[in-house]
Amino acid sequence: MRWTVLSSDLLLFFPAALYFVWVYCRRNVGGDKEGRSAPWLLAMILLYPCLILIDHGHFQYNCISLGLTLGAIAAVLSRNELVASALFSLAINHKQMSLYFAPAFFSHLLGKCLGRQNPIFEVMKLGLVVIGTFALVWQPYLYSLEAVMEVLSRLSPFERGKYEDYVANFWCSTSIFIKWKRLFPIQSMKFLSLIATVSAFLPSFIRQVKAPSDRGFLYALLNSSFSFYLFSYQVHEKSILLPLLPASLLALEEPLLFGWLMYYALLSMYPLLCRDHLILQYISVLALFGFIFYSPDGRSGMRANSFSIRKRALMTLPLLCSFILHVIYLSLRPPKKYPFLFEAMIMLLCFSQFVILTLHTNTKQLMLPDCSTRTERGKKDL
Amino acid sequence: MEEAAWFWGVATCVKLLLVPTYHSTDFEVHRHWLALTSSLPLARWYSDASSPWTLDYPPLFAYFELLLSLPASLLDPTIVDLVAGQNYAASSALLFQRVSVAAADLVLLLGAHRLACRLPPFRRRLAFAFLLWSPALLIVDHIHFQYNGFLLGILLLSLSFLAEGRDLAGGIAFAVLICSKHLFLVGAPVYFVYLLRHYCRGGFGKALGRFLAVGSAVGAVFAAAFGPFLYHGQMLQVLHRLFPFGRGLCHAYWAPNFWVFYIVLDKILAFVLAKLGFVIQAPKASFTGGLVGDSSPFAVLPQVTPAITFLLVILAMSPCLIKAFLKPQSKHIIRWVAYAYTCGFMFGWHVHEKASLHFTIPLAIVAMESLDDARHYFLLSIVSCYSLFPLLFEPQEYPVKILLLAVHSILMWLGFCQFRISRTSHQRKMSDSRGSCEKNQIIGCAGTCYLLGLFGVELWGQLLHPYFFGDKLPFLPLMLVSIYCAMGMMYSWAWQLRQIVRFC
C-alpha cells in the first residue's frame, strides 16, 4: 500500500513541481531578484515535512490532488489555460478539498479573459473544458439525479458538525469563548461560515479579476485557501496542507513567511502525529527541513540581523511557547475537567500565527503593482 | 567547520529516520558488551562466557563500551544487566544504541573536517558529501548497526595528521585505532615503513631519538590498552579471543575478493576434469567452516592456509612498501594506506564484505585530487555499496538501500561533472599526458557496460531467479553478486597498484 502512495507521489507530484519551478524561473515571475536559487525552491516544494508526514506517515493520497493542482498552477503561469482548467477540474474530482483554490483560479482566469478581445468566447471555452472534464469523470453516476445527489451528500457530511478534533480554525478557537454549537443550529452555522469565508477571500478575488498578474495569482491562491481553512465548515487539521502549497511556491519571495507558516502548520498537526507514534519522524523531518532551509549556500538564507529587536522578540515569543507546548504535550497529563486542554493551547497558538500571516499576505497582494494588464493587451494571442 | 557540521546534521536527520529499520544480531552483541563491561571487573571481560557473543575487539573499544554504558544505565538499567538484559530489545535500548552510533559519528566529522579543510570550496563540499553521506557507511552502521563511523573517523584523523606532516600524532592515532579494532592492523606495515623513513630522518642521533619517541609513544598506547590484562596474566586469553582461528577462508556470504575466483575456478576444474574421466574426490570440508585437520575444501587446486594468505597480502603490498621506503612523501600517504587495506581485503583470510569500507572511505579524499581518481572512485563506491546489499535482505529495506545508492551515484555524477569543468588548464594537460583513453568522461565504455551489468545482476536476483527457480538454489544470486563485484574490486586493486607504481 505504501508503494502506491510513493509511486503516485513520484508520478504526479514530482513532475508537477519540476514543471512549476521551470516555468517560474523561465517567466521571471518573482521579479528580477539577484541570486535566485531554483534547486532550493524545488527542494522546498518537494520536501515540505507536512506532506511527507501526512501522506507517507499517516497514509493518505493528498499528493495526487496537490500534484494536479500544482500542474494546473504551472499551466496557468505558462499561459496554457485550457490545460490548467482541465487539470484543476481533475484535482477537484479527486479531492473536493481542492475547491479551496477555486476562487483564486476563477478570479484569475476571469480577469485574464476580461482583458482579452472576446471575453465571452474565452469564458465559454474554459467553461466547456471544465464541464467536459467533470462529465468524463462523473460519467458512471450521471444516469439519474438521485445518484448524483447521493454522491454529493456523501462528499459533504454536514451532520458531522462544525469541526472535528481540534483544528486551528476561527470557529474552533473562538468556541472557547463563544459556544457556537449552542447558539445556532446547523443550517444557520452553514450560512454563517459561508458568509465569513466569502468575505475573507473577497478582497483578493476582486483584485485578481481587476488586475490579474502571475504573482498576484500565487498570493490569491494562498489567500483563498487560508480563508477557507480559517472560516469554512468541517475543516480537518490536514487541510493546512492546502495553504502550504502556494506558500511553498512563494518560498523564494517570502522565505520568512514560508518557514514560519511551515513550523506552525507542523505544530498544529503535532497531536495527530503523536497519536500515530510518529514523533521521531516529526523531529527528524522538521530538523532536515530546517537544515535545508538554512543551507550554507546562503543565497536563500534570511539575514536575521536585518530585523529590529522588537520584531525579533515578537517572533521568538511564540516560538518559545511552542517549544514548551511540545514538551508539555508529551510529558504531562491534562486535568480531568479539561481533557483537551493542551490540544486547545496548541491550536490557539497556531491560530494566532495563521491570522497574522493571512493579514500579511492579503495586504501584500492588494499592494502588488498593477502592471500586467497593459502588457497583456499588448501581447495578444498572436 | 560550519559546512561540515551542516553535512553531519543532515546525515543525522536521515540516521534518525533509519531508526526503525532492520534489527540485526549486532544489537544484542553490543548490548551484551555494554552489560559485560559495566557489570564485571576487568579481569573477567575476556574470559566471560555467559553469552555466545564474546568480546572480540581490543581493550580500547571495550573501554568505549564502558563509557557508553554509563548513560545507558541511567536511561534504562535493564540494558546493562548481564542476566536480565539478555536479548533485551525494548525501544529504549534500540533508541539508545542507534543514537550512540549517530553521536559517535562526531569523530568521523572531526576526521573529515581535518582532511578536507584545505581543499578548494567546491571539492571540500564534495568530500564532505562523500565522507559523511556515504551510503555504504549508512547501510552498515545505521541500518545493520556497527560502530565503523567512529573507527573510520580515527583513521581519517590519523591520515590527516600524516598528510600535514605531524607524524608523531598520526602514529599515536593509528595505535589508538589498532587497539580499538585489530582489523586495521593490515595498514601497519605501510605506517611502519613510512614513519621509519619519513620521521626518523636526519643524522644518526636525531633519527634514533625520533625512533625511540615514536616507539615509546606507541608503546604507551598499547600499555594503556593491554597493560591491565598483562598484569592479570590474561594476554593469551585476550589474543585467543581477538584472533579466533576456527573460521574458514570465506564468510558465509563470500566477500568479493580474489578467493571467490579461486573457489569458482576450483569448482569448474573439478567439474571439467570429472567429465574428462579423472577421479576427483569431493571435498569433505567446506569453505566457510574451519580448518579440519588435513582435509582441504578444494577439490583440485592446492589448499589455502592463513599463512599463505598472509604472505600474499604482504607480497601484494610490497610495491607500495618499496615506494614508501624509497621516497616517503606525505602527499601520497592516504593513497598508500588505502592500497594496503585493498590488498588486505583482496587476499586476506575470512574477510567480511564490510571491510571494503576501510579503503573506500579514505579513497573519497584521494578522489578529489584528479579526474582519474574521481573516475575510479565513482566505480569503486558503487560496486562496494552494491556488494553490501545482501546484508539487508528484508523487503522493507529494499527501497531504502536502492535510494541511498541512487542518490549517492547522482551526487557523484553531478559533482564530478562540475569537477571536470572546474579543472585548471594545468591539470588538464597533466591528465592528457598520462594518456588516459577516456579523456573527458566520468565513465568510459567498459565502465558503463559493467554498471549496466550490475542492474542485470540485481534484476536476476530479484525477479528472474524466483521466476525460474522458485525457492531452489538460494545461494545462486548471492554467488552471482559476489563474483560480479569481485571483478570490479580486482579492477580497483589493479588500478591502484598501477597508479602507485607509475606515478607515486
Side-chain angles (χ1 to χ4, degrees):
Chain A
M1 290 293 283
R2 295 246 184 224
W3 270 112
T4 55
V5 187
L6 254 176
S7 43
S8 60
D9 205 356
L10 267 173
L11 288 172
L12 269 169
F13 195 71
F14 275 54
L18 278 163
Y19 181 34
F20 175 81
V21 174
W22 183 72
V23 170
Y24 186 86
C25 295
R26 264 298 197 78
R27 297 270 173 167
N28 240 352
V29 173
D32 293 313
K33 278 217 171 72
E34 283 303 323
R36 266 182 305 120
S37 174
W40 185 81
L41 179 64
L42 188 62
M44 288 292 105
I45 298 177
L46 287 176
L47 283 175
Y48 71 89
C50 292
L51 187 60
I52 296 180
L53 284 170
I54 291 283
D55 266 15
H56 304 282
H58 187 76
F59 189 69
Q60 272 202 339
Y61 284 96
N62 293 306
C63 47
I64 299 182
S65 61
L66 284 176
L68 287 167
T69 316
L70 188 53
I73 297 172
V76 165
L77 289 179
S78 60
R79 312 281 180 263
N80 292 332
E81 276 139 21
L82 296 175
V83 174
S85 327
L87 282 173
F88 188 59
S89 318
L90 281 175
I92 298 180
N93 280 308
H94 180 263
K95 261 205 162 161
Q96 73 275 25
M97 264 193 342
S98 313
L99 275 171
Y100 283 24
F101 294 124
F105 270 92
F106 186 68
S107 60
H108 182 79
L109 291 172
L110 187 64
K112 277 269 154 75
C113 292
L114 287 176
R116 298 221 178 105
Q117 269 195 320
N118 224 343
I120 311 253
F121 181 58
E122 303 280 335
V123 173
M124 266 179 58
K125 265 200 299 188
L126 290 174
L128 273 173
V129 170
V130 172
I131 294 175
T133 326
F134 267 83
L136 208 65
V137 175
W138 281 66
Q139 201 206 11
Y141 300 101
L142 284 177
Y143 54 85
S144 81
L145 193 63
E146 272 177 7
V148 173
M149 289 315 289
E150 210 177 287
V151 177
L152 278 176
S153 65
R154 283 282 174 92
L155 288 179
S156 33
F158 285 113
E159 287 67 37
R160 274 205 213 153
K162 201 83 178 82
Y163 42 77
E164 219 173 280
D165 278 338
Y166 272 73
V167 58
N169 191 324
F170 174 76
W171 306 116
C172 203
S173 316
T174 50
S175 70
I176 296 178
F177 312 110
I178 312 171
K179 295 294 169 200
W180 299 104
K181 281 190 196 158
R182 283 187 224 153
L183 283 177
F184 300 101
I186 289 186
Q187 274 301 108
S188 31
M189 277 317 296
K190 278 198 263 185
F191 193 61
L192 203 60
S193 51
L194 183 66
I195 300 280
T197 318
V198 170
S199 45
F201 71 70
L202 208 57
S204 87
F205 188 90
I206 295 174
R207 171 75 197 193
Q208 274 300 101
V209 171
K210 276 170 59 184
S213 67
D214 288 339
R215 275 174 76 193
F217 178 52
L218 292 176
Y219 276 100
L221 284 166
L222 185 56
N223 287 324
S224 80
S225 50
F226 242 131
S227 69
F228 270 89
Y229 179 78
L230 289 172
F231 294 106
S232 175
Y233 200 78
Q234 184 59 226
V235 174
H236 204 282
E237 294 156 326
K238 300 182 207 132
S239 317
I240 193 68
L241 280 174
L242 288 160
L244 274 175
L245 181 68
S248 67
L249 302 180
L250 284 168
L252 274 178
E253 287 191 33
E254 307 255 3
L256 182 60
L257 179 93
F258 175 56
W260 202 354
L261 179 61
M262 178 62 68
Y263 179 71
Y264 285 102
L266 262 181
L267 180 62
S268 70
M269 293 199 306
Y270 183 62
L272 178 69
L273 295 171
C274 278
R275 277 202 298 272
D276 279 344
H277 307 292
L278 286 172
I279 302 176
L280 188 65
Q281 283 74 9
Y282 170 82
I283 296 173
S284 31
V285 176
L286 182 59
L288 193 58
F289 175 76
F291 274 115
I292 296 181
F293 191 68
Y294 286 106
S295 49
D297 288 351
R299 279 180 285 176
S300 59
M302 301 161 349
R303 301 280 158 257
N305 306 327
S306 60
F307 295 128
S308 64
I309 303 230
R310 227 181 17 166
K311 218 172 174 182
R312 264 195 274 181
L314 269 173
M315 291 200 293
T316 40
L317 191 62
L319 215 66
L320 267 174
C321 292
S322 65
F323 284 149
I324 300 174
L325 276 172
H326 272 116
V327 177
I328 290 180
Y329 190 79
L330 279 179
S331 43
L332 298 178
R333 288 200 167 283
K336 283 225 170 61
K337 197 169 164 204
Y338 302 112
F340 292 107
L341 180 66
F342 298 137
E343 272 100 336
M345 281 162 63
I346 292 178
M347 179 194 63
L348 267 178
L349 183 63
C350 296
F351 177 68
S352 57
Q353 302 304 308
F354 290 159
V355 164
I356 298 173
L357 286 168
T358 315
L359 288 170
H360 174 83
T361 52
N362 266 301
T363 42
K364 218 34 199 308
Q365 192 196 356
L366 293 174
M367 286 189 336
L368 275 179
D370 186 10
C371 58
S372 61
T373 42
R374 278 202 209 119
T375 49
E376 271 303 313
R377 284 209 185 101
K379 291 192 264 177
K380 282 185 314 199
D381 299 3
L382 288 165
Chain B
M1 193 62 187
E2 272 176 11
E3 264 183 4
W6 184 85
F7 279 93
W8 184 83
V10 172
T12 311
C13 293
V14 176
K15 289 167 196 171
L16 280 179
L17 284 171
L18 289 173
V19 164
T21 48
Y22 175 59
H23 186 100
S24 70
T25 47
D26 276 326
F27 274 103
E28 175 55 22
V29 172
H30 287 276
R31 189 217 58 78
H32 175 68
W33 293 354
L34 282 175
L36 188 74
T37 50
S38 69
S39 325
L40 294 179
L42 207 89
R44 289 181 51 200
W45 285 0
Y46 284 94
S47 52
D48 177 75
S50 59
S51 162
W53 313 116
T54 53
L55 188 60
D56 54 3
Y57 275 35
L60 280 185
F61 195 82
Y63 298 153
F64 171 68
E65 294 272 13
L66 179 64
L67 195 68
L68 277 183
S69 67
L70 296 171
S73 55
L74 287 173
L75 180 72
D76 183 353
T78 326
I79 299 178
V80 294
D81 195 315
L82 200 59
V83 177
Q86 296 232 352
N87 297 314
Y88 186 58
S91 56
S92 58
L94 205 80
L95 198 62
F96 174 76
Q97 291 190 295
R98 291 267 194 214
V99 170
S100 66
V101 186
D105 275 353
L106 279 170
V107 183
L108 184 65
L109 168 67
L110 195 62
H113 170 73
R114 289 206 91 251
L115 262 182
C117 57
R118 249 172 305 273
L119 292 170
F122 178 70
R123 293 189 196 191
R124 186 173 62 223
R125 280 192 215 129
L126 262 190
F128 285 143
F130 298 152
L131 287 172
L132 295 169
W133 293 353
S134 157
L137 198 59
L138 278 172
I139 289 177
V140 173
D141 264 18
H142 302 280
I143 302 183
H144 188 81
F145 188 69
Q146 269 201 337
Y147 284 93
N148 290 306
F150 158 66
L151 296 165
L152 286 167
I154 304 180
L155 177 65
L156 291 179
L157 268 176
S158 149
L159 287 172
S160 71
F161 286 134
L162 288 183
E164 283 169 17
R166 294 165 61 175
D167 295 341
L168 192 60
I172 295 176
F174 189 67
V176 168
L177 182 65
I178 300 183
C179 291
S180 305
K181 191 167 182 181
H182 49 295
L183 219 59
F184 286 95
L185 261 176
V186 181
V190 176
Y191 265 85
F192 181 72
V193 170
Y194 178 79
L195 284 174
L196 189 68
R197 291 285 291 161
H198 190 257
Y199 188 61
C200 308
R201 275 187 301 203
F204 181 72
K206 191 174 174 196
L208 188 64
R210 283 193 166 182
F211 183 78
L212 285 175
V214 170
S216 45
V218 169
V221 173
F222 273 82
F226 289 97
F229 299 97
L230 205 66
Y231 173 75
H232 287 289
Q234 289 210 330
M235 275 311 287
L236 263 175
Q237 173 69 7
V238 171
L239 286 172
H240 180 70
R241 283 277 170 91
L242 287 183
F243 299 98
F245 276 114
R247 302 185 188 173
L249 177 62
C250 296
H251 202 64
Y253 161 60
W254 304 341
N257 61 5
F258 173 75
W259 301 118
V260 164
F261 297 122
Y262 197 78
I263 295 171
V264 168
L265 186 65
D266 182 70
K267 296 253 185 251
I268 292 176
L269 277 177
F271 182 73
V272 164
L273 290 175
K275 286 282 180 207
L276 286 176
F278 288 93
V279 175
I280 306 288
Q281 238 184 345
K284 292 197 195 68
S286 83
F287 299 110
T288 57
L291 297 169
V292 184
D294 284 328
S295 59
S296 153
F298 295 100
V300 175
L301 295 172
Q303 190 190 13
V304 178
T305 59
I308 295 180
T309 60
F310 178 73
L311 276 170
L312 268 175
V313 171
I314 295 288
L315 199 66
M317 266 204 274
S318 50
C320 173
L321 293 173
I322 294 171
K323 284 272 176 177
F325 192 81
L326 292 175
K327 210 166 115 177
Q329 285 178 309
S330 59
K331 63 179 179 178
H332 296 308
I333 185 68
I334 305 180
R335 211 183 274 269
W336 289 337
V337 171
Y339 177 70
Y341 286 120
T342 315
C343 295
F345 181 81
M346 294 308 292
F347 300 104
W349 180 268
H350 201 88
V351 170
H352 206 285
E353 69 272 3
K354 294 182 210 144
S356 63
L357 275 172
H358 296 175
F359 58 93
T360 320
I361 300 283
L363 280 174
I365 291 286
V366 173
M368 299 297 130
E369 282 179 23
S370 75
L371 193 61
D372 279 339
D373 293 309
R375 246 184 244 134
H376 166 251
Y377 179 73
F378 184 76
L379 201 67
L380 178 68
S381 62
I382 293 180
V383 170
S384 74
C385 184
Y386 183 69
S387 71
L388 291 169
F389 274 14
L391 267 180
L392 306 175
F393 48 82
E394 287 182 13
Q396 66 178 18
E397 269 84 40
Y398 189 73
V400 176
K401 61 188 187 188
I402 298 281
L403 199 66
L404 281 173
L405 183 57
V407 169
H408 181 73
S409 316
I410 293 172
L411 267 177
M412 280 202 293
W413 181 267
L414 291 173
F416 289 148
C417 284
Q418 190 67 27
F419 185 105
R420 186 181 70 200
I421 297 170
S422 69
R423 277 183 305 165
T424 59
S425 58
H426 170 73
Q427 285 171 324
R428 261 175 239 166
K429 272 191 224 146
M430 286 276 291
S431 78
D432 287 348
S433 71
R434 285 180 189 179
S436 42
C437 42
E438 311 113 355
K439 281 208 190 313
N440 273 324
Q441 294 159 299
I442 304 293
I443 184 161
C445 203
T448 320
C449 292
Y450 182 75
L451 287 179
L452 284 175
L454 223 68
F455 274 120
V457 170
E458 182 65 13
L459 201 67
W460 171 267
Q462 292 298 315
L463 289 173
L464 299 174
H465 183 90
Y467 183 71
F468 286 117
F469 291 103
D471 282 332
K472 287 185 286 188
L473 302 177
F475 56 86
L476 193 60
L478 293 177
M479 235 171 71
L480 202 58
V481 172
S482 283
I483 296 171
Y484 201 76
C485 292
M487 294 188 327
M489 293 298 200
M490 283 298 279
Y491 166 74
S492 165
W493 170 73
W495 187 90
Q496 286 185 56
L497 181 59
R498 174 174 158 271
Q499 283 295 100
I500 287 177
V501 168
R502 282 175 70 177
F503 302 119
C504 283

